Amino acid sequence: MLAGKKAVIFDMDGTLLDSMWMWRSIDVEYLDRFGIALPEGLQREIEGKSYTETAIYFHERFLPDRSVEEIKQDWYEMSEKKYRTQVFYKPGAELFLSELKRRGIKMAIATSNSMELVKAAQESLHLERYIDFVCTGCSVARGKPAPDVYLKAAEELGISPLECLVFEDVPMGILAGKNAGMKVCAVEDDFSRDQEETIRALADYYIRDYREVLDGTYEKLHGEKEIRGIPESNFSKCDTGGSDEQ
């Protein structure tokens, strides 16, 4: 899987870090403040959207009297402490990061989350020891499944997309990596287990633990099969004027 690769780019939530468990409960609690029940399928509706795109979605669908910036700040206040105290690496992830660093392979994070919450996790888990660059969905024009965040990460690392390997946990993220022309390894996560069939159909590789990459026990899914992405007309636009980058 790593043969010929000069860079590895990770999605953060559910891929590098075990953090997706918090977001459904945050959505339930947050909407309940305003007397709104969590609609079935909401998580799938917002999958891949950047932090700002998701706030815009909530503003337009649920909370027209609350600004996008207020919604983002609410979420930050509800999740920041969790990222500092209750979020940890996925199985084998830190060992894998350490091995990549030993081999001189560059690393980046390409996430739909906010830069503020990335920083909270970074300070807790010392990601800066391994990660060379962090790119959020709101530092580029379009969120996942558009390739922008992965192409930006590759550009900043100075590595051709063909020499990059992506790790992702959900279909929209996998499509973003594929649309960038990169090989993608799917990482199993409880949050997206009900999408496993789709995930396997899209990804090139599949793991449950990062140690599988190092010991060669990962699953190779499709070889050189081409996976076609979502048409560009379906890519959502991101408000790059948000406050995700500091």
Side-chain angles (χ1 to χ4, degrees), residues 3-227:
K5 301 304 178 187
K6 296 181 179 178
V8 173
I9 308 175
F10 300 90
D11 171 56
M12 187 174 79
D13 295 288
T15 299
L16 188 60
L17 306 183
D18 184 10
S19 53
M20 286 304 297
W21 55 268
M22 79 170 76
W23 284 105
R24 187 180 189 281
S25 63
I26 286 175
D27 289 340
V28 170
E29 179 184 345
Y30 188 58
L31 289 176
D32 187 61
R33 290 184 187 180
F34 304 95
I36 303 170
L38 183 76
E40 187 173 348
L42 176 64
Q43 273 69 40
R44 299 300 171 238
E45 287 287 328
I46 61 178
E47 181 182 298
K49 292 183 183 295
S50 72
Y51 198 71
T52 296
E53 287 174 334
T54 305
I56 291 170
Y57 180 93
F58 270 65
H59 169 71
E60 293 177 346
R61 181 174 178 182
F62 304 116
L63 304 170
D65 296 328
R66 196 149 187 82
S67 73
V68 169
E69 291 303 315
E70 287 174 326
I71 293 170
K72 290 162 63 175
Q73 182 61 28
D74 292 340
W75 289 339
Y76 174 79
E77 292 172 0
M78 296 175 74
S79 60
E80 185 265 348
K81 186 176 180 180
K82 290 182 172 66
Y83 273 100
R84 292 186 185 278
T85 62
Q86 299 178 45
V87 168
F88 304 100
Y89 286 108
K90 294 292 289 283
E94 188 168 18
L95 175 65
F96 184 57
L97 293 175
S98 180
E99 177 60 19
L100 291 177
K101 183 175 182 179
R102 188 189 70 80
R103 297 188 189 187
I105 295 175
K106 294 184 178 181
M107 291 171 272
I109 287 174
T111 177
S112 297
N113 210 330
S114 73
M115 186 61 77
E116 292 88 347
L117 291 176
V118 173
K119 288 178 179 178
Q122 191 171 40
E123 291 170 9
S124 172
L125 299 172
H126 306 291
L127 291 168
E128 72 281 353
R129 293 181 295 186
Y130 310 108
I131 302 300
D132 299 294
F133 179 72
V134 175
C135 185
T136 72
C138 284
S139 66
V140 293
R142 304 171 296 178
K144 301 171 185 179
D148 301 28
V149 70
Y150 281 110
L151 292 174
K152 176 66 173 177
E155 178 184 2
E156 291 292 334
L157 293 175
I159 303 297
S160 163
L162 294 176
E163 296 175 307
C164 295
L165 175 66
V166 166
F167 285 84
E168 268 281 1
D169 65 311
V170 294
M172 292 299 100
I174 294 169
L175 281 169
K178 299 299 291 185
N179 285 325
M182 302 174 184
K183 291 289 187 180
V184 181
C185 179
V187 180
E188 186 172 276
D189 190 71
D190 287 342
F191 175 80
S192 55
R193 195 178 297 276
D194 63 332
Q195 296 180 286
E196 183 175 339
E197 183 177 352
T198 300
I199 288 168
R200 286 178 173 275
L202 295 173
D204 300 290
Y205 312 101
Y206 190 93
I207 62 169
R208 297 168 182 82
D209 186 310
Y210 281 91
R211 295 177 184 87
E212 295 171 19
V213 183
L214 299 178
D215 64 21
T217 59
Y218 61 87
E219 295 182 54
K220 187 174 182 180
L221 300 175
H222 300 292
E224 298 300 319
K225 180 182 177 181
E226 179 183 1
I227 303 294

